[in-house]
Amino acid sequence: MFDLAVFGSLFLTLFVIMDPPGITPIFLALTAGRPGKVQKRMAFQAVCVAGGVITVFGLLGHQILDYLHVSVPALMIAGGLLLLLIALDLLTGKTDEPKQTKDVNVALVPLGMPLLAGPGAIVSVILAVQKAHSVATQVSVWMAILAIHVVLWMVMRYSLVIIRIIKDGGVVLVTRLAGMMLSAIAVQQIINGVTQVIQGS
C-alpha cells in the first residue's frame, strides 16, 4: 500500500520548489527581533497555512480545473514555465527577500502563502493527485506532502542552529543546486505537456 517511487519523486519535486534551506534566511529575516518561542510558533503556523492551501488544491484541484475548463496538459505546460521562471531566479540569485513587518502575522502571509504554498507547489500537487489512480499511489502522494511539511517545520524551527552550520555560503550553494534541479524538472514537465497535446490531437 505504498509506492516509494511516487513518494520520492513528489517529495524531491516539492523539496526543490519549497526549498527548505533557502527559506531559512527569509524566515529569520521576517521573524527577527521576536522571542524564540514566538519564532517557533510562527514556524508551526506557516507550515499549517501552507499545508492547508496545498491540501485544498490537492483535494479540489480537479474540480477547479473543470470549472475553469483547463486541461491537464495545459496546466503541465503552464506549471513548467512557471517552475522555469522560479528556477532562473534561484540560479541567478534575483529572488527578493520580503521585508519584516511587525503589524501582520508573517507566518500567514508571506511565509505560509505564497512563499511555501506557491503556484509551483500547488501545480505539482494537483498533477500528482490527478495521476495517482491507485490507493497505494494516493497514500504515497499524501505521505510525500506530509513529509515535506514536517521537513519545512523542522528547518524553520531549528533555523538558528542550521544557519550557524551551513553559513551564508552554504545557503547560496544549496539554492543554486536547487535551481539547477528545478529547471530540469520544469523542462521535463513542459515536454510531457506538449507530448500529451500532440498525442491528443
Side-chain angles (χ1 to χ4, degrees):
M1 297 296 290
F2 186 79
D3 191 323
L4 185 59
V6 171
F7 173 87
S9 176
L10 181 58
F11 180 83
L12 178 60
T13 301
L14 291 178
F15 186 91
V16 171
I17 295 171
M18 302 176 90
D19 190 17
I23 203 67
T24 301
I26 299 176
F27 172 76
L28 292 174
L30 289 172
T31 61
R34 293 180 170 89
K37 289 184 178 180
V38 175
Q39 285 184 315
K40 292 175 182 178
R41 185 174 71 245
M42 294 180 79
F44 182 73
Q45 290 175 338
V47 169
C48 287
V49 170
V53 172
I54 293 292
T55 299
V56 168
F57 277 94
L59 294 173
L60 303 177
H62 186 68
Q63 289 82 350
I64 294 172
L65 291 180
D66 287 344
Y67 179 76
L68 296 175
H69 303 289
V70 176
S71 66
V72 173
L75 185 65
M76 292 177 70
I77 295 171
L81 291 172
L82 183 60
L83 295 183
L84 191 57
L85 290 175
I86 297 172
L88 291 175
D89 280 342
L90 291 174
L91 286 169
T92 57
K94 293 183 179 178
T95 49
D96 296 324
E97 292 189 10
K99 299 290 190 295
Q100 179 191 12
T101 306
K102 293 285 188 181
D103 300 330
V104 297
N105 187 352
V106 295
L108 308 180
V109 177
L111 267 177
M113 174 86 180
L115 286 178
L116 294 181
I122 290 172
V123 168
S124 298
V125 168
I126 290 176
L127 293 176
V129 171
Q130 281 194 327
K131 290 189 290 186
H133 299 299
S134 67
V135 175
T137 52
Q138 283 282 353
V139 170
S140 303
V141 165
W142 289 106
M143 287 296 291
I145 294 171
L146 176 62
I148 191 61
H149 282 83
V150 170
V151 170
L152 284 166
W153 172 73
M154 291 182 67
V155 166
M156 287 190 292
R157 189 181 189 283
Y158 299 103
S159 56
L160 292 173
V161 177
I162 292 173
I163 205 71
R164 287 195 208 104
I165 296 173
I166 66 175
K167 310 289 185 184
D168 291 341
V171 172
V172 172
L173 176 61
V174 171
T175 300
R176 297 295 183 271
L177 291 173
M180 291 180 60
M181 295 174 66
L182 184 57
S183 62
I185 292 172
V187 171
Q188 186 61 56
Q189 190 162 303
I190 294 171
I191 292 172
N192 293 343
V194 172
T195 301
Q196 289 193 23
V197 169
I198 295 174
Q199 292 175 345
S201 60

